[in-house]
Amino acid sequence: MSKISGDLNSIKNSTLEYMEEYIDVVWNPGSFLPEEVLNMMEAVTLETGREVAVAIDRKNRVLSIGIGDEKSVALSENDLRRGEKRLSGVRLLHTHPNGSILPSSVDINSLKAMRYDAMVVIAVTERDTFKGINGASVTLPLRDDKGLFTGHETIGPEPRRKFENFDSLFDKIKEIDKDSTDIVDTVDNEAEKAIVVGVLDIRKNYEVDPLAELKELAKSAGANVVGEVTQRRDAPDSKYYIGGGIARELALQRQALGATMIIFDDELSPSQIRNLEDVTGARVIDRTALILDIFAARANSTEGRLQVELAQQKYRLPRLTGRGIALSRLGGGIGTRGPGESKLTTDRKHIGRRIHYLESALKNVTARRELMRKERSRKEVPTIALVGYTNVGKSTLLNVLCEADIYAEDKLFATLDPSVRKMVTEEKTEYLIIDTVGFINKLPHGIVEAFKSTLEEAVYADLLLVVISADDPDPEGQLSIVEDILEQIGAGGKPRYLVINKMDRAVPDFDFYPAGAYGKIFNVSAKSGVGIEKLKEGITGYFTRAEMKFDIVVPYSDGKMQAFVHSNCAITNEEYVDEGVHFTGRIKPELFYKLEGYKYEG
């Protein structure tokens, strides 16, 4: 990313080259407002009519330059001292063209959020009688003995001829910084601050928060959402996703809130990411990168890690050229971590070979999974797949039904690796229940493809339990997304029951009866146990309604038939009589012929 950021539209190349000459150069050490830097800022402000911001360290090395309009200017944060106990070691000089000589509320918020040494406002006027810098003010942070921001102090304004009066502020800044020994507790341990952004369809009415899910995803990834921006449009902007004006306002909001990243609710093109990072001066990631990041953190099995890395590599491959902040470093934070991160290089051939390897490895895993399915089918054990939105309690439900203890947590995508557990009824009938990865709106195509072998558990199951959450503000929309994905993976025609979980959290008088091909609807609470027994009876009823009853006796000498009965029948009673073992129970119609000749006559 260039060290000149912000709104560079219509800026002459010669002007950009002129500014570039000032970066990474030390200017007049000991001068709080170096004359050479001021001359450059004055010239560019007068030429463009836009704000110019310069980040400069205590040695007077220019670190970066931002340029914007009278409302906003993107400030780079790449050179701030993150994770230290003190101030950033950087002061921010910026012009106010035809504006106030005093700091704005955005300036003060940025001083606090970015831990600047100082916020310098340089007033540039353009009148018939005078054009140029006519004064400046310097605002310093006030902090307590733990380094926490308690306020600010503004020195000046001073006319340009007295700017040397500011030179003594170096010592004052060092004094402010000296006692800030505990700020590490307020910086290092904070979650990464993020702003979420979405484009809303201008023709659609939104009854619930359209960015609620994105906020939950950000939270699951470890980010603290500090702001949001939405824009109604017919379609996303090809250059910035949001309009250029909104993008510049986003840069202003990002500065004021101290956000370090911006998360967009759709997949962005590489050029959109690059353009947005240039304007905002912050790391930009899209919905796909965010979901991949969460998947990378949750995948524990070999299969899960292979699937996540395959999706990551396919996502990154077209983004190798012109990469922005989000892909320019390894393991740098949300959107950049995962099992495949260390494999990423700028070599397309290398990534292509890696993708080929991952696909081959997953074929072997898929083959093993297919063998497991065939084994289950051979033993004719009924299988039930739990499918549904992420974080609706599928894993908790599995634990209750099967008296299991698989990992379950109240967060998005807590389960990535499918779990299979056995449910045994009072009649000793066995059923296999499979927990699957949760669905979500706009589930990236790469995820669906990479997790195809896992998602196919729903395709081969005998019965689907479609689980939704009673505390969701839009259960109908949630269910629609689940059904769309089931159709996409080829499970649209499978028999299914609807399970509405978390009834303990439902609003009063909750009443939801969706249209659709659901054999039965069960209201349950996996946490409290309400409705679980009825659900078990419903599962058993589905598999027994077509079964045939039998009453047989198998001679003691016929051990093979006794084994068959135990393996393939739902036994309701077993007792030992003179003739042999007396069984009563149920069996599938297609297997009933095997019991002919064993009818009990007693």
Side-chain angles (χ1 to χ4, degrees):
M1 178 179 178
S2 171
K3 290 195 175 183
I4 297 181
S5 61
D7 182 11
L8 305 182
N9 290 328
S10 73
I11 303 294
K12 296 177 182 177
N13 288 333
S14 58
T15 302
L16 294 175
E17 292 171 0
Y18 170 53
M19 289 189 289
E20 286 276 7
E21 293 175 359
Y22 283 79
I23 296 175
D24 289 330
V25 177
V26 175
W27 299 94
N28 197 3
S31 174
F32 199 81
L33 300 181
E35 186 70 17
E36 300 89 342
V37 175
L38 293 177
N39 290 338
M40 180 272 292
M41 297 175 70
E42 178 184 61
V44 175
T45 299
L46 290 173
E47 177 187 330
T48 63
R50 302 179 188 179
E51 284 194 13
V52 176
V54 174
I56 188 169
D57 67 17
R58 293 179 187 177
K59 295 180 180 179
N60 278 8
R61 181 183 299 278
V62 172
L63 305 174
S64 59
I65 300 173
I67 188 164
D69 57 24
E70 69 279 3
K71 293 183 180 179
S72 66
V73 58
L75 309 178
S76 174
E77 60 190 67
N78 294 341
D79 297 291
L80 297 184
R81 294 192 314 192
R82 289 296 180 190
E84 296 197 9
K85 298 180 180 181
R86 303 176 302 177
L87 296 173
S88 66
V90 177
R91 62 191 186 279
L92 201 288
L93 286 57
H94 72 291
T95 59
H96 279 186
N98 296 316
S100 170
I101 201 171
L102 296 175
S104 65
S105 60
V106 172
D107 294 335
I108 300 303
N109 287 333
S110 295
L111 175 70
K112 172 185 176 181
M114 308 300 287
R115 298 188 293 115
Y116 286 125
D117 284 0
M119 179 65 67
V120 182
V121 176
I122 302 165
V124 178
T125 60
E126 188 172 4
R127 304 191 184 102
D128 292 337
T129 55
F130 177 79
K131 294 182 179 180
I133 296 174
N134 67 353
S137 67
V138 177
T139 302
L140 303 179
L142 296 178
R143 320 178 86 184
D144 60 20
D145 58 358
K146 290 186 177 181
L148 299 177
F149 187 91
T150 60
H152 62 278
E153 174 188 8
T154 298
I155 295 93
E158 294 281 5
R160 186 167 187 173
R161 66 179 182 275
K162 293 186 177 181
F163 279 2
E164 67 272 11
N165 291 344
F166 293 126
D167 292 350
S168 62
L169 294 181
F170 280 118
D171 292 333
K172 191 165 186 175
I173 289 171
K174 290 178 181 178
E175 189 66 26
I176 293 171
D177 204 19
K178 182 177 66 175
D179 295 328
S180 303
T181 56
D182 295 326
I183 193 171
V184 66
D185 295 332
T186 65
V187 176
D188 287 352
N189 296 329
E190 284 187 355
E192 195 162 7
K193 294 181 179 179
I195 297 174
V196 294
V197 183
V199 166
L200 308 183
D201 190 335
I202 199 170
R203 296 154 298 207
K204 184 177 178 181
N205 292 323
Y206 295 86
E207 297 181 0
V208 297
D209 181 2
L211 295 184
E213 189 170 271
L214 186 64
K215 294 173 190 175
E216 281 299 311
L217 285 168
K219 180 181 176 182
S220 291
N224 177 24
V225 177
V226 296
E228 64 179 278
V229 173
T230 59
Q231 184 185 29
R232 285 187 172 272
R233 300 177 61 94
D234 289 327
D237 180 71
S238 60
K239 185 172 184 180
Y240 293 111
Y241 176 75
I242 50 178
I246 299 295
R248 289 186 285 275
E249 290 180 15
L250 177 60
L252 179 68
Q253 183 175 348
R254 197 275 303 171
Q255 294 168 212
L257 297 174
T260 55
M261 66 185 303
I262 303 172
I263 305 172
F264 285 77
D265 197 32
D266 286 292
E267 186 167 317
L268 303 176
S269 69
S271 62
Q272 285 174 325
I273 292 175
R274 184 171 60 251
N275 294 336
L276 286 163
E277 288 182 342
D278 286 341
V279 169
T280 63
R283 188 155 55 91
V284 170
I285 68 172
D286 59 21
R287 184 185 181 91
T288 300
L290 182 63
I291 292 175
L292 286 171
D293 180 86
I294 296 171
F295 271 50
R298 304 282 194 270
N300 294 314
S301 69
T302 300
E303 180 181 12
R305 289 182 173 276
L306 289 171
Q307 290 168 323
V308 171
E309 185 182 348
L310 178 61
Q312 284 180 322
Q313 299 289 19
K314 287 187 174 181
Y315 171 80
R316 289 168 178 155
L317 185 59
R319 291 165 173 79
L320 285 176
T321 58
R323 294 180 299 171
I325 299 171
L327 293 179
S328 64
R329 53 185 176 173
L330 302 183
I334 296 170
T336 65
R337 62 192 167 197
E341 191 64 45
S342 62
K343 306 297 182 184
L344 181 60
T345 71
T346 55
D347 185 349
R348 286 180 175 273
K349 291 182 179 179
H350 174 76
I351 291 186
R353 289 193 296 269
R354 185 65 184 169
I355 288 174
H356 178 73
Y357 164 78
L358 292 169
E359 289 176 336
S360 298
L362 278 173
K363 283 182 181 179
N364 294 332
V365 174
T366 301
R368 289 196 297 272
R369 187 176 291 278
E370 182 63 28
L371 286 175
M372 292 170 63
R373 290 196 192 105
K374 289 181 178 178
E375 180 66 13
R376 292 200 297 262
S377 178
R378 186 183 68 80
K379 292 182 177 179
E380 298 178 338
V381 181
T383 58
I384 301 104
L386 296 171
V387 297
Y389 223 68
T390 180
N391 202 32
V392 295
K394 296 188 299 298
S395 297
T396 304
L397 189 60
L398 176 66
N399 284 337
V400 173
L401 290 172
C402 302
E403 299 181 3
D405 59 352
I406 66 170
Y407 176 74
E409 189 174 345
D410 186 14
K411 64 182 180 181
L412 302 185
F413 299 118
T415 301
L416 283 189
D417 305 312
S419 301
V420 182
R421 295 294 185 272
K422 186 184 295 184
M423 184 180 84
V424 182
T425 69
E426 292 182 358
E427 299 172 344
K428 306 303 180 183
T429 305
E430 295 181 353
Y431 302 96
L432 291 180
I433 301 183
I434 305 169
D435 188 15
T436 62
V437 62
F439 301 158
I440 199 168
N441 190 24
K442 304 177 187 175
L443 188 65
H445 178 72
I447 287 287
V448 176
E449 284 298 310
F451 280 73
K452 193 171 184 179
S453 64
T454 301
L455 293 171
E456 280 181 346
E457 293 290 359
V459 178
Y460 293 103
D462 299 305
L463 175 68
L464 302 182
L465 296 185
V466 179
V467 187
I468 65 170
S469 177
D471 66 346
D472 191 277
D474 184 23
E476 191 170 350
Q478 187 185 107
L479 194 56
S480 175
I481 290 165
V482 172
E483 291 295 341
D484 287 345
I485 295 177
L486 287 174
E487 193 70 37
Q488 183 179 345
I489 64 176
K494 301 293 295 186
R496 66 200 65 194
Y497 286 165
L498 179 64
V499 180
I500 304 175
N501 192 25
K502 301 187 182 181
M503 288 301 296
D504 54 309
R505 300 187 188 179
V507 296
D509 302 321
F510 176 83
D511 189 18
F512 179 61
Y513 291 97
Y518 301 102
K520 291 184 179 180
I521 298 177
F522 298 89
N523 292 336
V524 307
S525 169
K527 185 175 181 180
S528 68
V530 172
I532 295 299
E533 288 305 317
K534 286 186 177 180
L535 177 58
K536 287 183 176 180
E537 291 171 5
I539 293 172
T540 302
Y542 173 80
F543 289 101
T544 60
R545 63 188 177 184
E547 291 179 343
M548 298 179 67
K549 293 182 178 181
F550 63 82
D551 186 357
I552 62 174
V553 63
V554 180
Y556 292 116
S557 58
D558 197 343
K560 187 174 181 180
M561 177 53 69
Q562 291 180 37
F564 173 83
V565 173
H566 282 114
S567 299
N568 297 278
C569 302
I571 301 170
T572 57
N573 187 59
E574 179 179 352
E575 63 176 337
Y576 297 94
V577 296
D578 293 340
E579 299 91 333
V581 185
H582 178 207
F583 294 102
T584 60
R586 300 182 307 275
I587 190 171
K588 293 180 180 179
E590 61 268 26
L591 297 178
F592 187 77
Y593 74 94
K594 289 184 175 289
L595 305 183
E596 293 176 358
Y598 293 91
K599 185 177 180 181
Y600 181 54
E601 303 290 350

